[in-house]
Amino acid sequence: MTRLWGSMRAAILASLVVVGWLLHLATGSNDGNWTVKHEAGRCALKGQCGKKSFFGGQLPCPDNSVAEKPDDGTRKKLVAICGDKWDQGAICCDGDQVDSLSTNLKRAESIISSCPACKENFFNLFCTFTCSPDQSLFVNVTDTQKANTGKLIVTELDTLWSDAYGKGFYNSCKDVKFGATGGKAMDFIGGGAKNYTSFLKFLGDTKPFGSPFQINFPRPNSSEFTNMTAADPAAKACNDTDEAYRCACVDCPGSCPELPKIAEQRDCHVGALPCLSFAVIIIYGVFLLLLVTAVSGHVAYQKHSKRKSERLQLLQDAALSDDEDEGDDVRHAGMLEKPQGQYWINSYCDAAFKKLGFVCARFPLITISASVVVVAILSIGWIKFAVETDPVRLWVSPSSAAAMEKEFFDSNFGPFYRAEQAFLVNDTHLSGPGPVLSYDTLAWWFDLENRVQRFRSMKEGVSLENVCFNPTGEACVIQSITGYFGGSFANVDPDTWQEDLRHCTEQPGSQECLPAFQQPLSKDIILGGWEKTDDILDAEALITTWVVNNHPQGSKEEEVAMDWEEMLKNLLQDAQREAKHLGLRLSFTTEISLEQELNKSTNTDAKIVVISYIIMFLYASLALGSTTLTMKSILHNPANAMVQSKFTLGVIGILIVLMSVSASVGLFSACGIKVTLIIAEVIPFLVLAVGVDNIFLIVHEFERVNLSHPDESVETRISKALGRMGPSILLSASTETVAFALGAAVGMPAVKNFAAYAAGAVLVNALLQVTMFVSVLSLNQRRVESRRADCFPCIKVDRADTGRRGAQYGYEEEGGLQRFIRKVYAPALLDRKVKVIIVVVFLGIFTAGLALLPAVALGLDQRQAFPRDSYLIPYFNDLDDYFNTGPPVYFVVKDLDVSERLHQQELCARYSTCHPFSLTNVLEQESKRSDVSYITGSTASWIDDYFTWLNPTNEECCIEHGKTCFAGRDPPWNITLSGMPEDGEFLHYLPKWLSSPTNEDCPFGGAAPYSNALVVRPKSTRNPIPASHFRTSHTPLRSQSDFISAYASARRIASDVSESQNITVFPYSKFYIFFDQYASIVSLAGTLLGSAIFIIFFLTSLLLGSLATGFVVTITVIMIVVAVLGTMALVHVSLNAISLVNLVICVGIGVEFCAHIARAFQFPSNTVLAKAPHNLVGRMGRGRDARAWASLVNVGGSVFSGITVTKFLGVAVLAWTRSKIFEVYYFRVWLALVVWAAAHALVFLPVALSLVGGEGYVDPESEGSLEDDLNARRYRALLPDEDDVDSDDY
């Protein structure tokens, strides 16, 4: 991650010194008469004649004499350094100059040697400038002075070089990379020049450690420079056709092979609309058009028929015969088509539940005791209860590629560093953000950083130096503006600090700008907000990063680091108050902050969740009593309030819900499946939704049986109620359990664990309700009939009624909600015109949901996981706004024997025989299309730098037995790799390189930059280098989509390289583990929801005995889920593991809403069906309208009061949560779920069933009473009208 740069001083100095030393290597003795003649074969300066001062370098003397042939020794040295073209002819330099030229060019070579063309052009410029026999043609001395030797020396000159050569020279060097840092050589040899004129100017400007005299590079102009001709040698191009000069791809874009184009995965759009949205809107529009046409045609036909009928009636006797009248009455009375057949599965289930209810009611204490014992046994597993809080283990399957790759990386290269970071921002003023830099601000910031370094932790007593990342062993890595000033405020001059800062941001590699850890500091990682004006002094944020070593989880070293981070957190929180007094704002994070704030959010949410459940408990307990405790009964006998209340029954029903949760948690904890925060927060909500609804259904049905069969025993009445509601509970519980169990097959632990716990809790809850709750209900009924008070059964209320009220108050006694549904809501809903409107509206909602699906984003902004007042939220906001550096990414190579030449070529990039699509070459090319690859910057290639370290030109790098390695070797070290080590020789030098420091003498040592980049096992017979990595960086990633796309791109690159080179490569970055879920979450969601929908269709069709009804229920559940997804798009809820769990819940809750109504439709109660309004009975459609009406009357009230209102009250409380994640992913989604599920189940489903529902079956509970017999014989006209019965009551 970080690199030693102080060790590169020699290279940096060399690049600057070369400028000076190579430009003053001539002397002469013309006694002040210099460069008078500009002609071929004549010099302008020659020799070394002295210095300006004691500390300066040797300067040339003006010499306009004729060029001379050198002696053999000078010629040999000149040819050795400048090439064979200098092996003959006169020159304008002497032996001393050639020695200096050779020394300094070799130093510069360490910077540019990787690109032969740049090296050739660089060498050619200075060789030609120093020794060309035609020097006077392109050099003109313009100023001189006397040296300390008394001789005349050159202090300024003009030298003419053609534009073609200047451009060629610059272009050949501008992309050359330098060493492990990934920096550009142009930053060192050209001051970061952006064009050739700036490049040449930097070379000639007088500066310390640079040119000792002024060299001007004016543009050639014949009128200004008479008799002079610009030097115009042919510049070598970096992609030269001559392989001897052709540079590698990493140093020359022109040498790179063209990567295959990426198939752009553009979403299909029609204009601004996604194709899916456009298609469903068109389809819905066509449907509306056809509907309007059909309705218009029907109305026209009806009017025509009516007029025709009126004309025919005028021709006939208006009086009807008695036979006609009688036939009409009989026909009308016979239109009620009561179901005739029986469904064997339903009959079997009815009989089984009837028998079960009788046994549980007959032996309540035994049933209750057995249930408690079983739950207690299952709950023993709580002793192994554990909560999974590690996000890595929560969101990623241990068997997934991302998890295994992280484990591989950590075990081989060590855990990624711990980062502590702070932002100081000037945005507290009403006028908006402004410059943060000032002398006073710097003074305070220096003091704060000094405190961070000095302070010790409370528990372990450690300071920063004990825990920091310290690659040099001399200084911690602290990336801050203070590094530009040596970490000491004493170095900040109040008059010049602005100029000094500008200089360091432009040339961070300058010696005076290097921090103590010797790594150049890019302005992008320490300053933010300056891009608006492109002036560094207008920066709106200071950024400091303290890099701390990481250690294995649970180790003592990790505990020590966390202890220091706790001290840092407290210190920075105090500094926040100091910054506020300065009119600034400080935001920060530490490695421990994220987990602490997440736990803080969970603890805060726990209170809200508990309050939510308490409200649902209270409502459910009170609402159950309203089934019998009506206002009418209280007014008739107030004492009934004490006896008829069902508060205790409701509380026990809720306790059964909690028991089911406890049993499920105990069972799966014993199996080693950890609880997640999602499970703790969601399972009670889910089971309560299912459980309360079933409780209401059982109690409501039992009260109906009490009214219709008041003289039967309690056991018999219980059995009748459970016999009718048991199959309905079986239908909902089985579909939900199987649907949830499907989720346990997925790999994502958060979803897998939730699915297991949810399936177990729903199943146990259903079993307890049809056994234990039924037993409690029988005991409660005995209490009521013995006139004992609710909650205090020891108190007997003699004035209260017994509860066997069928004969006393009339058959029709019912609650206000039931009466409203029966008399108002259900008849209005099933009106023909209303049904058309409902179908149109709900299909419109379905269309809108489908159209909004493409707008559902992926991701989970971690800011949403914190409390609203968390100090991390401003930090992440600042990170997005001001930090312009992307996270590092490592491409890891596994199981590759790099000691073999072929495999070396598959990885390297700086040598001519490297594979065109080698790993490093591909990464370099990908960085040039960062808009799609999300890769930027150079790649730290250890194998390239290893071979460069072996280059004998770098005489101080590899030294063995006092000699430079590879000096005089045969074959020699060369850029074609033919002279590079292999096999045993490769492994012999590798450990030496990895322990070699990066210092002034050798900037290519591997200890600092690559000590953790390779796994070396020299004694291994299978593979001595089983793993190594190549580091580069992502572009700045601002949004969730950026992170997801960057991860996908890295996967693509690694896959392409692996396939093309037949090697194993995978990408790793610290954030990948959290975004791996999004690579498959869409398909996973589709698989889970699709499988659940299929199970719903199969089970509902099987248990209801009708494919048509099963299809209607399935379509309704699909519409509920789609409506929730559309709402997610509108209220900005992203798709992630949390929302995926909620979508699975949507399926389960949707089934709960729909199943009971669908079963009541398929198996209507004869008692309820007999009271269907005449207008429904008289319609065609095989009685579907009447059965739809009966289903609403029978269970609609239970669905509304038992689940809709209960859930709405519970969800409403979540609106007051402090956690954004609860507000977004629970409150918004669950509120949408309750609203849409209730609307579809209570409005759309009855209408859909009345239109296309299947044929019904006989209710097995029909007893053949007089009323039933009359209804069965279809003598409906003999039955009393329901309104007449109601009107007679009181």
Side-chain angles (χ1 to χ4, degrees):
M1 178 179 178
T2 54
R3 297 289 173 261
L4 283 173
W5 281 74
S7 54
M8 300 179 184
R9 285 193 200 111
I12 299 170
L13 294 177
S15 65
L16 298 175
V17 170
V18 162
V19 174
W21 285 72
L22 298 181
L23 297 175
H24 75 276
L25 301 177
T27 183
S29 55
N30 286 348
D31 298 326
N33 187 16
W34 57 85
T35 327
V36 175
K37 295 182 180 181
H38 298 283
E39 60 185 15
R42 190 171 291 277
C43 304
L45 47 123
K46 188 177 181 181
Q48 298 175 343
C49 299
K51 304 177 181 179
K52 285 184 179 180
S53 64
F54 179 79
F55 297 101
Q58 290 286 334
L59 297 179
C61 288
D63 186 346
N64 202 206
S65 63
V66 176
E68 299 175 352
K69 289 187 177 182
D71 57 64
D72 292 342
T74 300
R75 174 79 70 187
K76 185 176 181 180
K77 290 186 290 185
L78 180 61
V79 170
I81 189 65
C82 293
D84 292 338
K85 62 184 176 181
W86 297 90
D87 62 352
Q88 59 184 355
I91 58 175
C92 287
C93 56
D94 59 17
D96 292 338
Q97 288 178 287
V98 173
D99 290 339
S100 296
L101 180 67
S102 176
T103 300
N104 291 292
L105 284 179
K106 285 183 178 180
R107 290 181 178 178
E109 187 178 9
S110 65
I111 301 175
I112 58 176
S113 60
S114 62
C115 181
C118 177
K119 172 190 170 184
E120 171 64 18
N121 292 331
F122 191 93
F123 277 40
N124 189 36
L125 184 144
F126 290 108
C127 288
T128 301
F129 175 84
T130 305
C131 297
S132 172
D134 301 323
Q135 190 182 63
S136 65
L137 289 178
F138 57 89
V139 174
N140 183 55
V141 177
T142 58
D143 198 7
T144 62
Q145 71 176 54
K146 283 190 177 182
N148 53 5
T149 60
K151 295 181 180 180
L152 203 62
I153 56 176
V154 176
T155 58
E156 185 172 1
L157 59 79
D158 295 332
T159 179
L160 301 183
W161 293 81
S162 69
D163 290 335
Y165 184 81
K167 290 177 181 178
F169 181 20
Y170 172 77
N171 289 335
S172 68
C173 296
K174 67 179 181 179
D175 293 307
V176 176
K177 309 300 187 302
F178 177 55
T181 67
K184 290 187 175 182
M186 185 58 64
D187 293 338
F188 307 117
I189 65 173
K194 303 301 181 184
N195 52 62
Y196 76 97
T197 56
S198 299
F199 179 29
L200 296 176
K201 181 178 184 303
F202 181 86
L203 291 177
D205 285 346
T206 302
K207 61 178 73 68
F209 305 105
S211 175
F213 62 97
Q214 182 62 38
I215 310 297
N216 301 313
F217 286 87
R219 296 300 83 226
N221 187 326
S222 58
S223 61
E224 183 177 355
F225 301 99
T226 56
N227 301 323
M228 294 182 66
T229 303
D232 189 23
K236 297 295 184 182
C238 65
N239 61 340
D240 202 282
T241 55
D242 188 343
E243 289 293 333
Y245 300 108
R246 189 178 181 85
C247 302
C249 172
V250 294
D251 295 326
C252 178
S255 297
C256 296
E258 184 177 355
L259 293 179
K261 291 185 178 180
I262 300 174
E264 296 187 25
Q265 298 180 348
R266 288 186 176 180
D267 295 330
C268 176
H269 279 76
V270 179
L273 286 177
C275 289
L276 175 62
S277 305
F278 180 79
V280 296
I281 291 173
I282 290 297
I283 293 172
Y284 183 67
V286 172
F287 164 75
L288 287 181
L289 180 62
L290 293 176
L291 180 64
V292 170
T293 303
V295 171
S296 301
H298 176 73
V299 171
Y301 176 77
Q302 289 290 84
K303 289 181 179 180
H304 173 73
S305 299
K306 183 178 180 180
R307 287 194 298 268
K308 182 178 180 181
S309 176
E310 290 174 348
R311 289 195 299 269
L312 290 174
Q313 192 169 359
L314 291 174
L315 301 176
Q316 298 176 356
D317 187 1
L320 294 173
S321 67
D322 293 338
D323 294 338
E324 288 174 334
D325 183 66
E326 181 181 358
D328 183 71
D329 289 342
V330 172
R331 185 169 57 253
H332 176 74
M335 286 303 293
L336 175 59
E337 297 189 13
K338 170 190 167 185
Q340 300 297 316
Q342 290 191 359
Y343 184 48
W344 67 272
I345 291 181
N346 182 72
S347 299
Y348 176 82
C349 292
D350 180 273
F353 279 108
K354 196 172 182 179
K355 185 175 181 179
L356 177 64
F358 187 87
V359 172
C360 293
R362 185 69 178 271
F363 307 102
L365 295 181
I366 294 176
T367 303
I368 293 172
S369 300
S371 300
V372 171
V373 170
V374 171
V375 170
I377 292 174
L378 292 175
S379 298
I380 293 175
W382 276 82
I383 61 177
K384 291 187 177 181
F385 177 84
V387 179
E388 184 61 83
T389 57
D390 186 355
V392 173
R393 297 190 180 97
L394 193 61
W395 306 120
V396 182
S397 170
S399 60
S400 70
M404 292 189 291
E405 288 163 359
K406 180 182 185 303
E407 176 63 27
F408 182 89
F409 187 93
D410 289 349
S411 61
N412 285 278
F413 307 115
F416 199 78
Y417 304 106
R418 306 175 70 91
E420 337 292 336
Q421 194 171 61
F423 287 80
L424 184 67
V425 183
N426 180 16
D427 66 354
T428 60
H429 304 289
L430 295 177
S431 58
V436 70
L437 293 172
S438 70
Y439 185 77
D440 294 335
T441 299
L442 288 177
W444 179 75
W445 194 247
F446 271 83
D447 176 68
L448 176 61
E449 289 193 13
N450 287 333
R451 278 183 278 165
V452 171
Q453 296 184 58
R454 294 196 315 268
F455 281 21
R456 293 184 173 272
S457 63
M458 296 294 293
K459 183 179 178 181
E460 301 290 341
V462 295
S463 63
L464 176 61
E465 66 178 357
N466 302 120
V467 298
C468 72
F469 176 59
N470 187 348
T472 65
E474 299 178 358
C476 295
V477 173
I478 304 174
Q479 297 172 335
S480 170
I481 192 174
T482 60
Y484 284 155
F485 301 94
S488 173
F489 189 66
N491 297 328
V492 181
D493 191 309
D495 298 322
T496 63
W497 69 269
Q498 294 176 322
E499 289 74 15
D500 295 339
L501 179 61
R502 274 204 176 96
H503 166 67
C504 288
T505 56
E506 293 171 358
Q507 301 179 33
S510 299
Q511 179 65 31
E512 61 274 16
C513 299
L514 291 177
F517 63 95
Q518 297 298 294
Q519 174 187 358
L521 293 169
S522 169
K523 58 187 176 184
D524 290 329
I525 64 174
I526 61 174
L527 294 168
W530 54 267
E531 304 87 352
K532 298 177 182 178
T533 62
D534 202 30
D535 186 350
I536 205 68
L537 297 179
D538 290 333
E540 298 171 359
L542 293 179
I543 310 169
T544 294
T545 305
W546 296 271
V547 184
V548 174
N549 282 320
N550 207 351
H551 304 279
Q553 191 172 11
S555 63
K556 178 62 177 178
E557 292 84 357
E558 184 192 44
E559 181 181 345
V560 170
M562 294 171 66
D563 181 49
W564 180 83
E565 287 169 347
E566 187 67 34
M567 180 278 299
L568 176 64
K569 185 188 74 172
N570 296 332
L571 174 60
L572 292 179
Q573 285 177 333
D574 292 337
Q576 284 181 323
R577 291 185 283 272
E578 298 176 22
K580 188 175 182 180
H581 289 303
L582 296 173
L584 304 172
R585 178 177 57 80
L586 175 66
S587 65
F588 71 93
T589 186
T590 66
E591 192 74 16
I592 61 173
S593 296
L594 187 63
E595 185 173 347
Q596 288 181 346
E597 290 298 290
L598 288 176
N599 293 336
K600 179 180 175 182
S601 176
T602 301
N603 295 334
T604 300
D605 295 333
K607 301 175 184 177
I608 297 294
V609 172
V610 169
I611 294 173
S612 173
Y613 291 147
I614 289 175
I615 290 177
M616 289 189 286
F617 292 168
L618 291 175
Y619 166 77
S621 299
L622 294 173
L624 278 175
S626 67
T627 57
T628 53
L629 194 59
T630 62
M631 184 60 65
K632 184 185 296 184
S633 65
I634 295 176
L635 293 176
H636 173 75
N637 187 353
N640 286 340
M642 298 183 63
V643 175
Q644 297 294 339
S645 169
K646 292 184 175 63
F647 186 82
T648 301
L649 184 64
V651 170
I652 293 177
I654 301 303
L655 288 177
I656 288 176
V657 171
L658 297 180
M659 289 172 64
S660 65
V661 174
S662 176
S664 180
V665 171
L667 174 62
F668 291 107
S669 292
C671 296
I673 300 177
K674 289 186 177 182
V675 173
T676 66
L677 296 178
I678 292 180
I679 292 174
E681 294 161 348
V682 173
I683 294 294
F685 176 91
L686 173 65
V687 181
L688 193 63
V690 175
V692 170
D693 190 31
N694 291 340
I695 289 172
F696 271 74
L697 287 168
I698 294 173
V699 172
H700 286 176
E701 184 62 26
F702 180 65
E703 291 304 324
R704 289 191 185 96
V705 175
N706 278 341
L707 293 172
S708 60
H709 302 81
D711 297 326
E712 299 283 357
S713 66
V714 173
E715 293 88 346
T716 301
R717 281 176 276 157
I718 288 287
S719 67
K720 285 179 176 294
L722 189 62
R724 175 155 182 81
M725 285 297 112
S728 186
I729 294 174
L730 173 64
L731 172 61
S732 63
S734 59
T735 51
E736 290 162 6
T737 301
V738 175
F740 289 142
L742 286 174
V746 305
M748 189 183 298
V751 178
K752 180 178 181 179
N753 295 8
F754 160 78
Y757 278 91
V762 169
L763 179 61
V764 174
N765 181 68
L767 293 175
L768 290 177
Q769 284 173 336
V770 297
T771 53
M772 180 178 174
F773 181 76
V774 168
S775 298
V776 174
L777 181 61
S778 69
L779 292 177
N780 182 75
Q781 185 60 27
R782 292 187 175 95
R783 175 194 62 78
V784 172
E785 294 180 1
S786 62
R787 297 184 176 90
R788 295 187 178 277
D790 189 22
C791 299
F792 304 97
C794 296
I795 300 175
K796 189 171 183 178
V797 184
D798 293 327
R799 295 184 58 189
D801 298 323
T802 62
R804 301 168 72 172
R805 303 170 289 125
Q808 296 178 27
Y809 305 123
Y811 188 84
E812 297 301 329
E813 184 173 332
E814 58 189 350
L817 177 61
Q818 289 290 106
R819 183 181 297 270
F820 171 77
I821 293 175
R822 180 174 62 84
K823 302 185 72 172
V824 179
Y825 177 72
L829 181 71
L830 296 172
D831 180 80
R832 288 179 178 177
K833 295 179 181 179
V834 173
K835 286 198 289 185
V836 172
I837 294 173
I838 287 173
V839 170
V840 171
V841 169
F842 276 84
L843 286 180
I845 294 172
F846 182 60
T847 299
L850 290 175
L852 287 169
L853 286 182
V856 178
L858 301 181
L860 173 60
D861 190 336
Q862 51 195 332
R863 283 169 285 201
Q864 295 179 342
F866 307 132
R868 297 178 188 273
D869 58 352
S870 172
Y871 66 87
L872 287 182
I873 294 178
Y875 164 75
F876 282 109
N877 291 337
D878 291 337
L879 189 68
D880 283 348
D881 294 338
Y882 299 115
F883 199 59
N884 293 315
T885 300
V889 54
Y890 301 84
F891 285 84
V892 180
V893 180
K894 293 174 56 179
D895 302 324
L896 187 70
D897 188 357
V898 193
S899 63
E900 295 183 12
R901 174 76 71 236
L902 174 63
H903 297 323
Q904 293 170 0
Q905 293 168 331
E906 292 169 343
L907 300 180
C908 70
R910 293 189 176 276
Y911 302 94
S912 59
T913 59
C914 294
H915 194 284
F917 294 102
S918 68
L919 174 59
T920 311
N921 273 335
V922 168
L923 291 177
E924 180 66 23
Q925 283 291 79
E926 291 288 356
S927 70
K928 293 176 174 61
R929 55 179 186 184
S930 58
D931 56 325
V932 294
S933 70
Y934 293 87
I935 298 293
T936 187
S938 301
T939 301
S941 171
W942 67 266
I943 192 167
D944 288 308
D945 286 349
Y946 171 43
F947 286 155
T948 302
W949 178 77
L950 291 173
N951 188 345
T953 302
N954 303 316
E955 297 176 347
E956 301 299 323
C957 287
C958 181
I959 298 177
E960 192 173 36
H961 307 304
K963 297 182 180 179
T964 301
C965 305
F966 282 69
R969 183 179 185 274
D970 186 25
W973 186 101
N974 66 81
I975 203 168
T976 65
L977 290 180
S978 63
M980 300 300 185
E982 291 184 87
D983 302 325
E985 188 180 26
F986 182 92
L987 297 175
H988 170 74
Y989 288 109
L990 186 61
K992 298 178 182 293
W993 173 66
L994 289 174
S995 61
S996 173
T998 305
N999 52 36
E1000 297 178 355
D1001 297 323
C1002 179
F1004 300 101
Y1010 297 115
S1011 58
N1012 294 327
L1014 293 87
V1015 178
V1016 181
R1017 296 170 184 165
K1019 296 183 180 180
S1020 173
T1021 57
R1022 180 174 176 270
N1023 188 353
I1025 308 175
S1028 64
H1029 68 62
F1030 295 74
R1031 191 193 77 251
T1032 184
S1033 295
H1034 280 301
T1035 56
L1037 307 176
R1038 306 295 187 193
S1039 64
Q1040 294 292 292
S1041 61
D1042 285 347
F1043 281 98
I1044 295 170
S1045 299
Y1047 175 58
S1049 176
R1051 282 280 179 202
R1052 172 188 59 79
I1053 294 170
S1055 176
D1056 290 347
V1057 172
S1058 298
E1059 183 177 350
S1060 67
Q1061 300 302 308
N1062 196 27
I1063 59 179
T1064 302
V1065 180
F1066 70 83
Y1068 174 78
S1069 190
K1070 191 174 183 180
F1071 72 88
Y1072 285 177
I1073 196 73
F1074 304 109
F1075 288 86
D1076 180 69
Q1077 58 178 294
Y1078 302 110
S1080 59
I1081 196 166
V1082 174
S1083 60
L1084 175 61
T1087 302
L1088 274 179
L1089 298 178
S1091 302
I1093 293 298
F1094 174 78
I1095 291 296
I1096 290 170
F1097 174 71
F1098 175 78
L1099 290 179
T1100 52
S1101 300
L1102 178 67
L1103 295 178
L1104 295 178
S1106 171
L1107 289 174
T1109 302
F1111 178 76
V1112 171
V1113 171
T1114 304
I1115 289 297
T1116 305
V1117 173
I1118 292 174
M1119 293 174 69
I1120 292 171
V1121 174
V1122 170
V1124 171
L1125 280 166
T1127 306
M1128 287 172 55
L1130 291 176
V1131 299
H1132 308 294
V1133 178
S1134 303
L1135 179 60
N1136 49 52
I1138 298 176
S1139 51
L1140 179 56
V1141 168
N1142 281 332
L1143 289 175
V1144 176
I1145 290 176
C1146 288
V1147 175
I1149 299 297
V1151 171
E1152 185 67 27
F1153 268 95
C1154 298
H1156 304 302
I1157 292 177
R1159 189 182 182 280
F1161 172 82
Q1162 282 298 109
F1163 305 96
S1165 169
N1166 286 343
T1167 304
V1168 177
L1169 189 62
K1171 295 176 289 183
H1174 289 293
N1175 63 322
L1176 298 179
V1177 173
R1179 292 183 189 169
M1180 298 300 292
R1182 302 184 64 82
R1184 285 195 295 261
D1185 282 343
R1187 286 189 285 128
W1189 177 89
S1191 68
L1192 280 173
V1193 172
N1194 195 22
V1195 298
S1198 299
V1199 171
F1200 180 79
S1201 58
I1203 182 170
T1204 305
V1205 177
T1206 305
K1207 294 281 83 57
F1208 183 81
L1209 291 175
V1211 170
V1213 177
L1214 298 181
W1216 281 271
T1217 180
R1218 290 175 57 203
S1219 171
K1220 191 70 174 176
I1221 197 171
F1222 246 78
E1223 189 266 325
V1224 172
Y1225 289 97
Y1226 295 111
F1227 172 70
R1228 296 182 188 177
V1229 176
W1230 286 354
L1231 182 61
L1233 169 60
V1234 171
V1235 171
W1236 289 125
H1240 282 78
L1242 295 174
V1243 180
F1244 175 77
L1245 180 60
V1247 171
L1249 289 173
S1250 72
L1251 294 173
V1252 294
E1255 294 188 10
Y1257 296 97
V1258 172
D1259 178 14
E1261 294 303 317
S1262 298
E1263 294 290 336
S1265 63
L1266 175 61
E1267 185 179 44
D1268 291 330
D1269 185 59
L1270 290 172
N1271 193 35
R1273 293 173 184 270
R1274 300 184 181 180
Y1275 290 123
R1276 183 173 178 78
L1278 299 179
L1279 291 173
D1281 185 78
E1282 57 188 48
D1283 292 333
D1284 295 338
V1285 175
D1286 292 339
S1287 64
D1288 290 338
D1289 292 344
Y1290 290 95

